[in-house]
Amino acid sequence: MRIRGVKPFASAVGLLLGLLCAVEAAKGWTGPPAEATDRVKLDPLAVREICGFRIHGQNVPFEAVVLDKSTGEGVIRAKDKLDCELQKEHTFTIQAYDCGEGPDGGNMKKSHKATVHIQVNDMNEYSPVFKEKSYKATVIEGKKYDSILKVEAVDADCSFQFSQICSYEIVTPDVPFTIDKDGNIKNTEKLNYSKERMYKLTVTSYDCGKNRASEDVLVKINIKPTCKPSWQGFNKRIEYEPGTGSLALFPSMHLETCEEPITSIQVSIMLETNHIGKGCDRDTYSEKSLHKLCGASAGTVELLPTPSNSANWTVGLPTDNGHDSDQVFEFNGTQAIKVPEGVVSTTLKEPFTISVWMRHGPGGREKETILCNSDKTEMNRHHYSLYVHNCRLVLLLRQEPTESENYKPAEFHWKLDQVCDKEWHHYVLNIEFPAVTLFVDGATFEPFLVTEDYPLHASKIETQLTIGACWQGGSALMTQYFRGNLAGLMIRSGKLENKKVIDCLYTCKEGLDVQLPEEVASAVKVEFNPNQSSLTLEGDDIESFEKVMQHISYLNSRQFPTPGIRHLRVSTTVKCFNEETCISVPDSEGYVMVLQPEEPKISLSGIDHFARGAAEFESTEGVTLFPELRIVSTITREVEVEVEAETEAGGEDDPTVQETVVSEEIMHNLDTCEVTVVGDELNGDHESTHPSTSTKLQYILYIQHLAECLSLSTGVNTMANYEQVLHLIRYRNWHTEALFDRKFKLVCSELNGRYISNEFKVEVNVIHTANPMDHANNAMVQPQFINQVQHASVDLSGHNLANMHQASVVPSAATIVIVVCVSFLVFMIILGVFRIRAAHQGTLRDQENGKENEMDWDDSALTITVNPMETYEDQHSSEEEGDEEEEDSEDGEEEDDITSAESDSSEDEGGEQEDQQGSSRQQQLEWDDSTY
């Protein structure tokens, strides 16, 4: 039998058993026993009443109840609520029993057991539920899928009708997707990554009883562009801050192979720096300084120096118009320069070396001369030259006249692609006749052709050395012009360059670097080119390969690198198992942006105005120009600092961050200092600037004298060493009768002129001494109240005596004015004596002498005679003595009358100069030239 079960209430279920139960009972009834028939007659048709039913089974949720005892009708009902989801069917046995005999119901009879089957009917009480909270899928654009993903919902109802999901539905409108009854989602059109990168869909479901899902589900479909093998995670712009060491270029880079099986990978990484200087970032020191840094010995002559007062023959050549990178010179086929006589010896000693940086191309049919030494007049003989012809580099070396007139090697030819590729290359020729070795970018090349010629005939014709063309002595014209760029042209006589020095000159200060992890060091092969501007990687394991890529970095070791862009290119070649379907990885391109470095400010300071006696200028040593010179370099930068600010409420400190500008001193090198005369040029007959001969200048490598300039170059050296050398520079004049002052200017620079100091100007005054007998006539006509002034040799620091003169006669009209001035002078002397007595607690005589040493003089109306008794050395020795010794040394000198103007000057400036310099200079008067 079937019982329709309702989950909320099932106890009212009933079943009439009636005749069924009676029949079942009758079937089990057999009548009384045969032996009783004699005692009780019973009607054979009589049936006893049914008193109850008994259900057999464990945990049967049903009970049977008698409705009519006479008919045996009863009902089976549930004891509690039935749930189809817990149990769909119930099976048990039931047995009926009568009321028995007699009042006590004895001799009760039971029927046989009958089996009851009860099936619980289901109701659609549950709604569908999705198995996942959300669904995700990724598809590639431009492709139609049969199924992108499948969603699935379930229903908890027990019956087949109500537990089945009959349909799914996409709730989101206007999307290019559809879903079938099984939950498969597919696109209805080809998807476009550029149009939409991700779709979000809301999906619901229905069971067969039309119940909708209790909660809809979210489906995300990501759109990927068409799979193209390429490097992923590559940043096109990479910023490099100077002074930060190495910078990783590909920290998160990986290779997308579109699931193709890969057998090997080869990657070439190029750092393009051809637009910077001579092909990459190198120190911009002069070539001579670079040779020193690389360990080359002395004897190198620079033929293409940066234009300066001491080397001006390159002034007319176009340059790169900047100092951030190396100084290069352009030759356009119409320009050439003549090297002055004396720069290079006429006959080069063997062996010798020629080195040059060159960028040239394409080649032409005509010869293009780099360097040429030819007859200056009359003839056109080429003694030696270096030129380019048809992408060949040729060295011509004609031998000088000898006793034998045999053929000798004269021309050496190298056929090189580098000569015409429009890129910078470094060429070094080591010449040890008859052998010539060429180094190009550090690699050795032997000449493919050597031709011979007779030695030159003997002649007394002078030669002319030219760059960029060849001098034709007979026609006084240039020929065989060069077209390209040159830099760093050097000749080194007497010694060859070794390989270590050549490699050092060529090596860049920037490049690629890689620090391989141990676990992948053997899995990937790494090779660099000589200047580390490119590297090649080769391997077969993608994971190891990507780790190596992530450890490749850019490094620039310059303290002040050249700012700007360095282009970066990654080229990849991949080999697969099936060569026909092997993928092609496109080049990845980006750039490294080197930021502007913080530029240093080089400051020169010291004593910029002083006077010395004429005897010191005329001495062998002369006068020190920069006795207290100080060279300091600073940079200014912005820093973030925390500022404590009080809050209005609680008064507590509230730290805030603000930017402030600070200046700090840094240490770096200098490479040149120039001392230049301001005004008339030095007269070589009686003037010179020179270093001290009493001290060994261990740092000086090169000093060049011109009429207006002394160029001091120690090469690349510290500022402290340059200070030490400049302290020893002296000026000498052995004809000072007509000289009253001289002005000089000092300028120092770093990196071949990239950073230049301020112009430090020094004015030197000459104090002339005079013999009293030479002025006898003047003394006779001087008023008697004007006393002749006599002093020891003085140092008039900070004053100009250029207008110094002798006034032999005071006009009578000014007598009254002078009397008033003398009266005021007496007052000032008394005041000065009082001040000196209070300061030194000395005697009146010592105070007056000390006062006399401090007084400044105005020579506008007086004749001054200077005592030349004391030497420059005595003056400096007296500077180290104490105040009491200074006073004692002047004991016995007469006190001279001075004007009021001089007294004011002595009080205001004399003491101030002493405070600034730290000690008073014995017997030196300070002069004020502000009114001259």
Side-chain angles (χ1 to χ4, degrees):
M1 59 181 65
R2 176 176 293 181
I3 297 178
R4 183 178 178 83
V6 181
K7 187 167 187 175
F9 181 73
S11 62
V13 176
L15 180 63
L16 294 178
L17 301 180
L19 294 175
L20 175 64
C21 292
V23 170
E24 291 294 335
K27 289 180 179 179
W29 178 256
T30 61
E35 59 267 20
T37 59
D38 295 339
R39 287 178 258 175
V40 178
K41 285 185 176 181
L42 297 176
D43 186 354
L45 297 177
V47 179
R48 296 183 183 181
E49 292 183 344
I50 302 301
C51 286
F53 300 99
R54 180 175 296 175
I55 295 175
H56 297 278
Q58 294 183 352
N59 300 324
V60 177
F62 296 98
E63 63 181 358
V65 180
V66 178
L67 296 179
D68 190 342
K69 291 183 179 181
S70 60
T71 61
E73 182 180 355
V75 64
I76 295 177
R77 61 187 180 187
K79 295 179 182 180
D80 203 352
K81 298 177 181 179
L82 299 177
D83 192 343
C84 177
E85 283 72 34
L86 293 178
Q87 189 170 348
K88 293 182 180 181
E89 295 180 353
H90 296 271
T91 300
F92 55 88
T93 60
I94 188 170
Q95 192 176 24
Y97 58 91
D98 61 11
C99 296
E101 297 178 356
D104 55 355
N107 196 21
M108 182 181 63
K109 302 295 182 178
K110 297 179 182 178
S111 70
H112 70 279
K113 295 180 180 179
T115 301
V116 179
H117 296 278
I118 298 177
Q119 183 176 354
V120 183
N121 291 334
D122 187 24
M123 297 185 65
N124 193 8
E125 56 187 315
Y126 289 99
S127 297
V129 176
F130 285 96
K131 287 186 175 181
E132 303 290 339
K133 292 183 178 180
S134 64
Y135 293 87
K136 295 180 180 179
T138 301
V139 296
I140 299 175
E141 66 172 347
K143 183 178 179 181
K144 290 191 69 174
Y145 290 82
D146 293 333
S147 177
I148 296 176
L149 78 159
K150 182 179 180 180
V151 297
E152 187 175 359
V154 294
D155 195 307
D157 289 317
C158 66
S159 66
F160 178 82
Q161 178 184 3
F162 299 134
S163 64
Q164 295 299 309
I165 305 300
C166 283
S167 65
Y168 293 90
E169 181 183 347
I170 297 176
V171 180
T172 306
D174 302 327
V175 291
F177 298 94
T178 186
I179 188 169
D180 60 18
K181 64 178 182 178
D182 295 325
N184 294 305
I185 298 176
K186 64 181 179 179
N187 55 319
T188 58
E189 62 184 44
K190 293 181 179 180
L191 305 177
N192 192 332
Y193 175 80
S194 60
K195 180 180 179 181
E196 192 72 39
R197 298 189 177 185
M198 184 179 70
Y199 288 92
K200 294 182 180 179
L201 312 178
T202 301
V203 177
T204 191
S205 63
Y206 295 90
D207 62 17
C208 294
K210 301 301 180 182
N211 271 7
R212 180 173 174 170
S214 58
E215 292 184 5
D216 298 337
V217 71
L218 177 65
V219 178
K220 295 180 180 179
I221 300 177
N222 292 306
I223 313 301
K224 284 182 62 176
T226 304
C227 184
K228 298 178 180 178
S230 62
W231 286 103
Q232 304 292 326
F234 177 70
N235 294 326
K236 290 188 176 181
R237 176 185 172 94
I238 305 166
E239 291 189 352
Y240 179 79
E241 184 176 352
T244 56
S246 61
L247 173 67
L249 296 176
F250 319 110
S252 59
M253 199 169 181
H254 68 278
L255 182 61
E256 174 61 61
T257 61
C258 296
E259 300 181 359
E260 288 287 343
I262 305 299
T263 58
S264 67
I265 309 172
Q266 185 175 7
V267 173
S268 176
I269 303 172
M270 295 288 298
L271 182 70
E272 299 179 1
T273 58
N274 295 335
H275 61 290
I276 299 174
K278 298 193 291 282
C280 70
D281 209 5
R282 293 181 172 88
D283 283 329
T284 58
Y285 296 117
S286 66
E287 200 70 18
K288 183 182 294 295
S289 298
L290 291 176
H291 275 69
K292 174 188 175 183
L293 290 174
C294 290
S297 58
T300 302
V301 178
E302 190 172 7
L303 301 182
L304 281 176
T306 300
S308 63
N309 291 328
S310 58
N312 57 4
W313 62 86
T314 59
V315 171
L317 289 177
T319 66
D320 60 352
N321 297 321
H323 296 287
D324 286 347
S325 58
D326 296 344
Q327 184 76 73
V328 299
F329 297 91
E330 180 183 355
F331 294 84
N332 59 11
T334 63
Q335 299 151 320
I337 58 173
K338 294 190 293 185
V339 179
E341 294 183 6
V343 175
V344 179
S345 174
T346 303
T347 58
L348 296 174
K349 297 180 181 179
E350 293 185 4
F352 68 96
T353 297
I354 299 176
S355 62
V356 66
W357 284 92
M358 181 177 69
R359 179 168 61 184
H360 175 265
R365 296 183 178 180
E366 298 180 357
K367 294 181 179 180
E368 299 179 48
T369 299
I370 301 170
L371 175 70
C372 179
N373 185 33
S374 59
D375 288 338
K376 193 171 187 178
T377 59
E378 299 180 17
M379 303 180 70
N380 295 327
R381 298 180 305 170
H382 296 182
H383 293 251
Y384 62 85
S385 66
L386 182 65
Y387 63 90
V388 174
H389 188 208
N390 289 332
C391 294
R392 299 178 182 182
L393 185 68
V394 183
L395 172 67
L396 170 67
L397 185 60
R398 299 289 300 276
Q399 294 299 303
E400 296 298 328
T402 58
E403 296 181 356
S404 61
E405 296 294 332
N406 299 328
Y407 274 102
K408 293 184 178 180
E411 281 190 341
F412 301 82
H413 298 250
W414 292 268
K415 189 174 183 180
L416 304 168
D417 294 335
Q418 293 90 329
V419 172
C420 295
D421 63 2
K422 295 184 180 180
E423 302 292 342
W424 279 104
H425 298 284
H426 186 230
Y427 301 85
V428 177
L429 291 103
N430 274 344
I431 304 162
E432 190 171 17
F433 191 82
V436 178
T437 304
L438 172 66
F439 295 87
V440 181
D441 298 336
T444 307
F445 292 86
E446 295 294 333
F448 81 96
L449 176 64
V450 178
T451 62
E452 296 182 340
D453 201 349
Y454 282 108
L456 294 172
H457 296 290
S459 70
K460 297 182 179 180
I461 302 174
E462 295 182 355
T463 60
Q464 176 64 60
L465 183 61
T466 56
I467 300 172
C470 208
W471 178 259
Q472 297 285 24
S475 57
L477 296 174
M478 293 285 189
T479 186
Q480 300 176 6
Y481 284 96
F482 179 77
R483 293 176 179 85
N485 297 98
L486 298 176
L489 180 56
M490 307 286 292
I491 288 183
R492 183 182 180 190
S493 180
K495 192 173 182 180
L496 301 178
E497 295 287 15
N498 59 48
K499 185 66 166 59
K500 182 178 180 181
V501 173
I502 294 173
D503 291 340
C504 175
L505 293 172
Y506 172 70
T507 302
C508 294
K509 291 293 183 178
E510 66 176 342
L512 300 173
D513 189 24
V514 59
Q515 300 294 330
L516 293 179
E518 293 183 1
E519 62 271 17
V520 299
S522 60
V524 180
K525 181 181 179 182
V526 182
E527 292 183 354
F528 283 92
N529 70 334
N531 61 357
Q532 290 193 301
S533 63
S534 69
L535 63 85
T536 302
L537 306 178
E538 191 171 352
D540 55 7
D541 182 65
I542 294 181
E543 184 178 354
S544 299
F545 210 94
E546 290 177 349
K547 287 184 179 180
V548 173
M549 290 290 291
Q550 293 168 6
H551 283 78
I552 296 174
S553 60
Y554 169 80
L555 177 63
N556 195 317
S557 60
R558 292 190 66 188
Q559 186 177 14
F560 306 109
T562 303
I565 290 175
R566 277 76 164 160
H567 289 283
L568 193 65
R569 178 183 292 109
V570 179
S571 302
T572 308
T573 302
V574 176
K575 293 183 179 180
C576 308
F577 287 101
N578 184 357
E579 294 293 339
E580 295 181 358
T581 61
C582 191
I583 63 176
S584 176
V585 180
D587 291 352
S588 298
E589 295 187 1
Y591 61 92
V592 178
M593 172 59 75
V594 179
L595 303 179
Q596 179 72 40
E598 295 170 341
E599 297 189 357
K601 180 182 179 182
I602 305 172
S603 301
L604 308 179
S605 60
I607 299 176
D608 60 358
H609 209 164
F610 61 89
R612 294 287 185 271
E616 294 187 39
F617 289 92
E618 296 175 356
S619 65
T620 304
E621 285 294 319
V623 176
T624 303
L625 286 181
F626 311 106
E628 298 182 17
L629 178 68
R630 181 81 172 94
I631 305 177
V632 177
S633 181
T634 58
I635 60 171
T636 303
R637 67 175 68 190
E638 291 184 357
V639 296
E640 292 184 353
V641 295
E642 288 190 359
V643 180
E644 301 291 341
E646 283 193 1
T647 59
E648 295 182 359
E652 297 180 356
D653 291 338
D654 181 21
T656 59
V657 177
Q658 296 182 357
E659 289 188 354
T660 182
V661 177
V662 299
S663 180
E664 59 184 36
E665 184 174 347
I666 65 169
M667 300 302 296
H668 58 94
N669 296 324
L670 300 177
D671 53 11
T672 300
C673 287
E674 280 191 354
V675 181
T676 309
V677 178
V678 178
D680 296 335
E681 296 181 356
L682 295 180
N683 189 333
D685 295 335
H686 57 268
E687 287 183 290
S688 69
T689 53
H690 61 279
S692 172
T693 58
S694 60
T695 304
K696 181 180 179 181
L697 301 182
Q698 55 181 333
Y699 302 111
I700 291 183
L701 294 180
Y702 178 71
I703 297 180
Q704 183 172 0
H705 295 268
L706 296 177
E708 73 285 356
C709 170
L710 179 144
S711 177
L712 169 67
S713 174
T714 71
V716 182
N717 222 314
T718 64
M719 291 181 288
N721 287 344
Y722 265 94
E723 276 185 12
Q724 182 176 351
V725 172
L726 288 167
H727 288 166
L728 305 173
I729 301 301
R730 293 176 173 269
Y731 166 66
R732 182 176 176 234
N733 190 316
W734 50 94
H735 185 67
T736 59
E737 288 81 359
L739 180 65
F740 293 96
D741 63 13
R742 260 297 188 191
K743 296 180 180 179
F744 298 90
K745 178 178 68 177
L746 173 64
V747 176
C748 296
S749 67
E750 157 77 321
L751 294 172
N752 207 16
R754 179 175 177 184
Y755 301 120
I756 303 176
S757 72
N758 61 304
E759 294 184 353
F760 179 65
K761 295 182 179 180
V762 175
E763 182 174 338
V764 181
N765 299 124
V766 181
I767 303 174
H768 292 279
T769 59
N771 190 338
M773 294 303 295
D774 296 338
H775 306 282
N777 296 332
N778 294 339
M780 291 176 62
V781 298
Q782 288 179 355
Q784 294 182 1
F785 54 84
I786 300 297
N787 295 326
Q788 189 174 19
V789 181
Q790 292 184 349
H791 286 283
S793 176
V794 294
D795 178 6
L796 306 179
S797 179
H799 303 285
N800 186 352
L801 301 182
N803 297 325
M804 186 176 183
H805 63 279
Q806 297 178 350
S808 59
V809 178
V810 178
S812 60
T815 302
I816 298 176
V817 177
I818 295 176
V819 171
V820 174
C821 293
V822 171
S823 300
F824 182 73
L825 173 63
V826 173
F827 170 75
M828 294 303 296
I829 292 176
I830 295 173
L831 179 62
V833 170
F834 175 76
R835 291 175 62 184
I836 295 175
R837 180 185 295 112
H840 299 284
Q841 300 296 323
T843 62
L844 179 60
R845 179 189 60 192
D846 294 336
Q847 295 166 6
E848 292 173 351
N849 291 337
K851 177 68 177 177
E852 179 180 318
N853 292 334
E854 292 178 42
M855 290 187 291
D856 292 337
W857 290 79
D858 184 358
D859 63 347
S860 61
L862 293 178
T863 300
I864 300 178
T865 305
V866 183
N867 184 0
M869 293 293 293
E870 218 170 292
T871 64
Y872 175 76
E873 289 77 6
D874 294 334
Q875 295 176 29
H876 282 276
S877 64
S878 64
E879 290 175 10
E880 300 175 357
E881 297 177 356
D883 292 338
E884 295 181 3
E885 293 176 352
E886 291 182 289
E887 294 169 358
D888 293 339
S889 66
E890 294 175 355
D891 188 17
E893 292 186 1
E894 293 185 3
E895 178 181 351
D896 301 319
D897 294 333
I898 59 177
T899 65
S900 61
E902 293 162 346
S903 178
D904 290 341
S905 176
S906 69
E907 288 182 357
D908 296 339
E909 293 195 13
E912 182 180 347
Q913 293 289 338
E914 291 175 356
D915 292 341
Q916 293 176 355
Q917 298 179 7
S919 63
S920 62
R921 300 178 183 273
Q922 183 182 9
Q923 297 176 347
Q924 295 178 352
L925 301 181
E926 304 296 325
W927 289 80
D928 185 1
D929 63 347
S930 60
T931 59
Y932 283 78

